[in-house]
Amino acid sequence: MIQLGVTKSPIGPSKEAPLIETYYAAALAAIFGAAVGAAAVAGRKAPGTPKAYIVTEVDVTGDMATFQRDYAAYAQATIEPFGGRYLVRGGRSIGIEGEPPKPRIVISVFDSFEQAQAWRRSPDYVKIAAVREREATSRQYIVEGLPERM
């Protein structure tokens, strides 16, 4: 029978077998190192899609109970299907420059500008927005954030 990598010698076993094992070990280490490096590069994500923020300034000028019951009570449920969530919902605010903000500020965040627009145009929100428009004076706008750093 012929064995590769091993030569019979009158002196004893060949030194080739341990040398070949060394080459295999080095090759496996190189492949493993390349795989780890590739995984590290793949794990580094490119900057993602910027988040979008909807800023709403509200001054309830009509009936507060109607506003709370028919608008505020349903607003959160309309943003959740679009991946939105509140960052600010009321709380203290103070004008620093320019026109003072309205008494109530709401800031919502969405994963993209398009998701924010889709929420604003959704039938569920349009239906309750009519209550906000009737019972309050408000200003609402979408602002795109910076790309996220990785």
Side-chain angles (χ1 to χ4, degrees):
M1 171 149 76
I2 299 176
Q3 292 182 341
L4 296 177
V6 178
T7 355
K8 295 198 177 190
S9 159
I11 304 173
S14 167
K15 300 288 181 187
E16 287 182 40
L19 186 59
I20 288 175
E21 289 173 5
T22 302
Y23 285 138
Y24 283 136
L28 286 174
I31 292 169
F32 180 73
V36 168
V41 169
R44 259 193 95 200
K45 297 179 183 175
T49 302
K51 298 219 182 282
Y53 302 87
I54 294 186
V55 180
T56 308
E57 298 179 30
V58 180
D59 183 8
V60 179
T61 54
D63 183 47
M64 178 62 88
T66 300
F67 178 85
Q68 290 292 334
R69 181 189 68 232
D70 298 341
Y71 175 77
Y74 296 103
Q76 182 169 357
T78 67
I79 72 169
E80 289 171 351
F82 295 89
R85 64 183 175 85
Y86 291 114
L87 295 178
V88 174
R89 195 172 187 189
R92 298 189 310 168
S93 67
I94 186 169
I96 305 295
E97 285 186 32
E99 294 293 318
K102 296 199 181 302
R104 183 170 175 82
I105 308 287
V106 178
I107 301 175
S108 306
V109 62
F110 292 82
D111 288 336
S112 71
F113 199 86
E114 292 73 22
Q115 282 179 304
Q117 287 180 309
W119 166 74
R120 184 56 182 91
R121 295 177 184 146
S122 70
D124 287 342
Y125 183 72
V126 168
K127 184 169 73 174
I128 65 168
V131 175
R132 179 180 50 82
E133 293 164 0
R134 184 182 68 238
E135 300 296 333
T137 58
S138 59
R139 179 166 79 149
Q140 188 174 65
Y141 48 94
I142 303 173
V143 180
E144 187 171 61
L146 296 172
E148 290 187 19
R149 289 182 162 184
M150 296 295 160

